[in-house]
Each structure stands twice: as C-alpha cells, then as structure tokens.
Amino acid sequence: MMMKIRITLNGKSISLEVPAHRLLLDLLRDEIGLTGTKEGCGTGDCGACTVFLNGKPVNSCLILSGELDGAEIVTIEGLKIGPELHPIQKAFIQDGGVQCGYCTSGMLMMSKALLDENLNPTEEEIRFALSGNLCRCTGYAKIVQAVQDAAAELRRMRAEG
Amino acid sequence: MKRPEPLEIFQPASVEEASAIVKEKGPGGRFLAGGTDLIIAIKEKGLAPKYVVDLKRVPNLSGIREEADGSLTIRALTTMREVEISPLIRKRFPFLAQSAAEVGSIQIRNRATVGGNMANATPSADVAPSLLVLEARAKIASAGGERVLSLEEFFHGPGQTAMLPEEILTAIVIPPTHPKLVGEYIKFSPREMMDLAYVGVAIALVLNGKEKRCESVRIALGAVSPTPMRARKAEAVIEKQIFTEELAEKAGEEAAKECKPISDVRSSAEYRRAMVGTMTKRALLNAAAQRPGPVPWVERRERRY
C-alpha cells in the first residue's frame, strides 16, 4: 500500500509517496539518501538507528513510514549548527569517542537528547541515558568523557549567551 | 534483519471506527500503538499481519490524569517514558514510575505504550506487577460500548487477554489509594532494563503507627507464571500483623511456593522460584523502610542487590 506523507526532515518540509510498510530507517537511507543513520541489530537493542521523532529519540528500525504523516524528524545529518559541527560531535572527535564509528551517530543523537534535558549530567546519568546504545569497540569510557566535555562546552556557550 | 511485508495500514479517528475496521476486515489484523512489540514480532518471529490498525490518530487516547476522587487514569497510548517522568506518578507511586523505567532503552520507552504492553500480555511486563498491587482496572471499548475489568481478570495467559479481537484497551485506571501507601518494584535481570525480567516483584503496603501494623499489603509477581499474578498467600502472612523482617521472609517463602515459573533461556524454574523468595522479602523490606515520595534512580538501583 502506497501512502502520501508530508514530513519535516532536518528542518525542511518534504512530501513523499512511500510504501506504508517501509521502515523509517530504510526510508532515510535508501529513498532519501541520508546514510548517516545506521542499522545495527534491527530490533531496538543497539541504538545505532537513533533519530529524533517529534523531538524525542527513537529507534528508526521499529517505525513504519505509514505512521509518519505530519512527523518532524531530525537525523545525524541535521545535528550540526550551520556549517559548524555540533559541540557534541567536536567532543567525540577530540576525546576519541569514535572508534570504528558505526555506533557513533546513534551515540551522538542520544547524547544530544540527554543534554537537551540536562546540561550537567553525572556519569551515572550519562550511562543511564546511553543504556540503549551499544559500542562493540568497547569504548564507553571515552564516550562518557566526550559527553561530559560537550556538556561543559554547552554550559560555557550558554553562559556567554 | 528481515523487513516487513507490504501491508495495509488504517488510521481511524475514533475507537468506534478502529473497532469497526477489525469487525469488517476479520482475523489476521493487528492494532498498532508504539510498535516496539509488533514490529519486532514481524521482523523476528515472522508475524505477517494482513492489515494494521494504527491507533495513534485517535484523539484523547494518551495522557495521565488525576480524577476528582483521587483515582488516576493512564490512557492506553501513554508512553513508558511519560509514566517514568510524570511528576504526578513519581510523587504518588514512585515504584510505578520505576517499573516503567525498567522497560528497554529511552528510545524504546519513547515509543512503547502502557496499553500496548498490557494488551500484549507478556508475563514479564514490568509495569504489570506495579499496576496489579495498585488494583488497577482496564477500560476496554469497542463499537458496541465500554466495559471495565480488573487487570487481574484482563490477563488470560502469555499473549492472551480477556479482549475480543475488535475490542481496544483505552485506559488503565488506578483507584483511589491510602495516603500512606508505599511501594516497591524490583526487576531482577542481570542486564537491567535492556533485558526482560527474570523475576519481577511489586509491593504496595500500608503500615500503621509506630508498631508498624500492616493495614494492607499487596504483592504481585512478574515472569513467574503464565500471567503477571497476585501472591495472595504471601499477602496473608503479613496482613494485619506487625511488620517484621521474619514475616517478610515468611512471605517470601509463600510467594516462592505459589508462583508457577517455567525454565527458559534466561533461567531455570528452580532459580526463578528461589529468586522470588529472596526478591519478595527484599521488596517488602524496601517498601517498609521508605516513606511515600519520589526516590532518585541511583538510590533505587543500589537497593536492588
């Protein structure tokens, strides 16, 4: 069954005709060409496919295109601020929070979700927020460090207005 | 990972319309709420629904509301994350918020709904024991009208409920509770929220006076019988008695006797039974030691082991 949907994707409104059963993940990667969002497990355990749907982080591998009419979606491609990388992205690079990189877009989106709500998270809160994001390079220590550094930078930016 | 097969999606604008679609289209369809069970069943278990009825366009099917009589209505499409962070639920029933926080990752909890979780009737559903100890009721509607069942009557077996195919769970209602009610939910699962409960134990307790006489106690267990269950023999050990650690231990022994666990990939039936005893005692002691009110996540987590 084909469906006409209108969505806002990374700030731009677009109209699409899509098969209702197409996963949001496949819609993004294969039809729209935004390949930054990754598929890990396909069952909502690993978080590699995390995107924002109506302002909230979700697993795009568990959502059908037919559910999306009117939705607002932000992917990793929409994270940077103008031409600049987001402070979270910069912190992951600076701290070595990226190893093979496959989990990274999901980690970044989930870190953004956390820092949008809490600019001063404890290590415990960071690990809690990232419970649904698996890194098989076993690099969590540097990821947690990167989120802490990003939080410090975002606090500094807010203080300076 | 397998992809869903082509399917027809309906997006009704009312419960009556949703129910009428199922009546007309017949068997083989599924209701869709958050999709965190349904899409996984399609991908992993080869479920191939002929059609899907997406309930998310039905107005007034989500949200948490305190009614004038003190009862609390959680509409069916309220997400687990909304229950977890709701100031109202954290204040009145922190153990219910805790049990919602035990369901998968934040990404999953932003989609998974309370109604979907109850309607799927998984024996290990984390919020089910907490709702059972609060003696919650299930509001069910169809084109033919509305009925209300206790949540205990609602569950019939793994994946089985009292609902007819065309009926829709619209809300969970928690009746007014004693102002001194305290509670606890312990999920025993080595991978915490990222795996299903091996054993879940919920307690709701009202203790009176300095002597801690138990005015009422409700104990419910998850993942150790075909449905989430009340442990009434364990409750009878403590009801109207002066609460002590020895009684909590005896109640744990009773709960271990009356549960009906199976062996599966997560653990053996014997292990589950032993853990029911231990966790019931621990949950009772935790509940008795706290006052009603919100408790931070880290502190609750430390109390588990």
Side-chain angles (χ1 to χ4, degrees):
Chain A
M1 171 183 175
M2 297 298 284
M3 271 179 91
K4 279 204 175 114
I5 59 170
R6 174 173 280 277
I7 59 172
T8 304
L9 179 59
N10 296 332
K12 255 198 236 156
S13 176
I14 54 172
S15 290
L16 296 159
E17 199 170 351
V18 291
H21 67 283
R22 179 84 77 240
L23 299 173
L24 170 56
L25 171 70
D26 296 340
L27 177 70
L28 293 169
R29 290 180 55 87
D30 300 340
E31 309 224 0
I32 300 173
L34 294 180
T35 54
T37 304
K38 306 299 183 193
E39 176 176 29
C41 64
T43 52
D45 294 300
C46 80
C49 68
T50 302
V51 301
F52 280 70
L53 175 64
N54 300 326
K56 295 188 176 118
V58 298
N59 296 308
S60 62
C61 73
L62 296 180
I63 295 169
L64 303 175
S65 296
E67 301 176 66
L68 293 175
D69 190 35
E72 191 181 315
I73 296 156
V74 179
T75 68
I76 185 66
E77 288 86 354
L79 189 59
K80 50 181 195 201
I81 303 168
E84 285 259 323
L85 289 179
H86 191 280
I88 303 173
Q89 292 172 301
K90 289 184 185 168
F92 269 65
I93 295 170
Q94 174 205 301
D95 292 341
V98 180
Q99 291 189 41
C100 86
Y102 201 84
C103 73
T104 306
S105 39
M107 290 285 180
L108 290 167
M109 298 309 277
M110 205 55 223
S111 303
K112 167 85 163 49
L114 169 66
L115 297 179
D116 281 351
E117 283 177 10
N118 179 0
L119 259 190
N120 211 347
T122 61
E123 179 181 340
E124 169 78 24
E125 286 166 337
I126 294 169
R127 289 182 181 272
F128 179 72
L130 295 179
S131 299
N133 293 76
L134 296 182
C135 165
R136 293 294 81 183
C137 302
T138 72
Y140 297 105
K142 292 184 175 188
I143 289 169
V144 171
Q145 182 64 53
V147 178
Q148 285 169 329
D149 288 348
E153 173 62 12
L154 287 164
R155 288 196 302 272
R156 191 191 63 79
M157 284 167 65
R158 177 179 283 184
E160 286 179 5
Chain B
M1 181 55 62
K2 190 178 171 297
R3 266 34 192 176
E5 298 294 327
L7 48 76
E8 217 177 344
I9 293 194
F10 294 94
Q11 298 188 306
S14 71
V15 168
E16 292 74 20
E17 195 189 329
S19 168
I21 291 168
V22 174
K23 255 240 121 137
E24 192 202 312
K25 301 287 291 182
R30 292 294 292 255
F31 287 116
L32 170 63
T36 51
D37 278 324
L38 181 62
I39 309 297
I40 291 174
I42 289 173
K43 287 173 144 196
E44 274 197 327
K45 296 176 194 155
L47 181 76
K50 277 203 313 214
Y51 63 95
V52 161
V53 182
D54 181 3
L55 297 171
K56 290 191 290 295
R57 310 272 157 174
V58 177
N60 301 321
L61 219 46
S62 88
I64 298 162
R65 206 174 68 185
E66 193 167 36
E67 314 290 346
D69 66 354
S71 67
L72 197 76
T73 302
I74 304 173
R75 291 198 182 123
L77 295 193
T78 306
T79 66
M80 291 295 176
R81 182 71 174 158
E82 285 165 344
V83 173
E84 173 189 353
I85 63 179
S86 156
L88 193 55
I89 292 184
R90 286 169 94 124
K91 179 164 160 271
R92 286 189 57 188
F93 310 120
F95 61 99
L96 175 58
Q98 163 79 10
S99 60
E102 299 278 9
V103 181
S105 62
I106 292 176
Q107 292 96 312
I108 291 288
R109 299 200 295 280
N110 274 332
R111 294 291 287 176
T113 67
V114 173
N117 195 221
M118 295 304 98
N120 277 320
T122 311
S124 61
D126 287 300
V127 297
S130 297
L131 290 172
L132 284 178
V133 297
L134 291 168
E135 303 190 302
R137 304 176 73 73
K139 255 192 185 170
I140 299 164
S142 68
E146 197 177 67
R147 62 189 179 119
V148 181
L149 288 176
S150 75
L151 196 58
E152 217 179 349
E153 300 168 289
F154 177 83
F155 295 125
H156 280 191
Q160 305 294 318
T161 70
M163 289 193 293
L164 299 169
E166 70 272 18
E167 285 186 312
I168 294 155
L169 176 63
T170 57
I172 298 291
V173 180
I174 299 170
T177 49
H178 195 287
K180 284 206 284 192
L181 180 135
V182 290
E184 173 70 314
Y185 176 70
I186 295 183
K187 172 180 187 165
F188 176 68
S189 174
R191 293 195 60 220
E192 302 191 351
M193 71 270 258
M194 293 310 293
D195 194 4
L196 300 183
Y198 291 32
V199 169
V201 180
I203 306 289
L205 188 62
V206 178
L207 295 178
N208 265 338
K210 270 210 184 92
E211 57 166 22
K212 286 199 166 183
R213 187 169 294 276
C214 175
E215 188 174 315
S216 78
V217 61
R218 303 284 175 264
I219 301 172
L221 309 173
V224 290
S225 72
T227 64
M229 63 174 277
R230 279 273 295 277
R232 286 199 165 74
K233 287 180 184 156
E235 292 170 5
V237 171
I238 303 177
E239 188 96 37
K240 307 298 173 206
Q241 304 299 310
I242 291 171
F243 186 86
T244 61
E245 188 168 343
E246 291 66 41
L247 269 192
E249 176 142 4
K250 264 182 85 180
E253 286 163 14
E254 279 304 322
K257 273 189 227 157
E258 66 186 301
C259 68
K260 305 177 225 40
I262 55 163
S263 296
D264 65 10
V265 62
R266 289 189 174 76
S267 77
S268 66
E270 297 72 34
Y271 182 66
R272 281 203 165 94
R273 201 181 281 285
M275 290 315 283
V276 164
T278 306
M279 291 296 159
T280 301
K281 178 189 173 187
R282 189 162 302 161
L284 280 165
L285 293 176
N286 285 354
Q290 77 193 58
R291 278 199 285 270
V295 184
W297 166 259
V298 182
E299 191 189 326
R300 296 193 64 83
R301 189 170 158 188
E302 279 169 3
R303 265 200 233 146
R304 190 174 335 182
Y305 299 114

